[in-house]
Amino acid sequence: TSYFVALQIGAMLKGTCYLAEEIFHLETRHRGSLWRALSACLHLRWHVTLLLVGGSAYVALLDGDRRSLGLHLVLTCFCQLLFLALGLH
């Protein structure tokens, strides 16, 4: 489940990076609509649904240590950003 959550976090971080680049092209590509740019870069319904399902399964499998959940999420985000920066994804 942690791998599944990591994939969804990676996809959302990648979409966020794309959105940061697309903001400069709002007028030419998306007719000035931030919502269109957001929809083109992030498939929110799909990723958020999968992230919630994977995240709830991950939380259900924890032994009750909430600190480890936060640490795992931070490390997962860091690793996914590192993979994106190095072009390994």
Side-chain angles (χ1 to χ4, degrees):
T1 59
S2 62
Y3 178 71
F4 184 69
V5 170
L7 285 177
Q8 294 310 309
I9 289 174
M12 291 182 72
L13 288 172
K14 192 174 188 180
T16 303
C17 292
Y18 287 152
L19 180 64
E21 194 273 328
E22 285 295 316
I23 291 211
F24 297 109
H25 306 287
L26 278 179
E27 292 299 322
T28 57
R29 294 182 185 167
H30 306 287
R31 295 182 227 145
S33 173
L34 183 62
W35 182 251
R36 287 182 189 205
L38 186 67
S39 297
C41 296
L42 293 169
H43 303 287
L44 289 177
R45 289 183 186 168
W46 178 249
H47 291 303
V48 170
T49 303
L50 291 175
L51 188 62
L52 286 175
V53 169
S56 61
Y58 183 73
V59 169
L61 293 174
L62 279 178
D63 292 333
D65 187 12
R66 298 289 180 208
R67 289 182 293 165
S68 68
L69 175 65
L71 179 63
H72 284 258
L73 288 177
V74 168
L75 288 175
T76 300
C77 290
F78 177 73
C79 288
Q80 290 294 337
L81 285 173
L82 187 63
F83 286 160
L84 287 173
L86 296 175
L88 299 174
H89 212 285

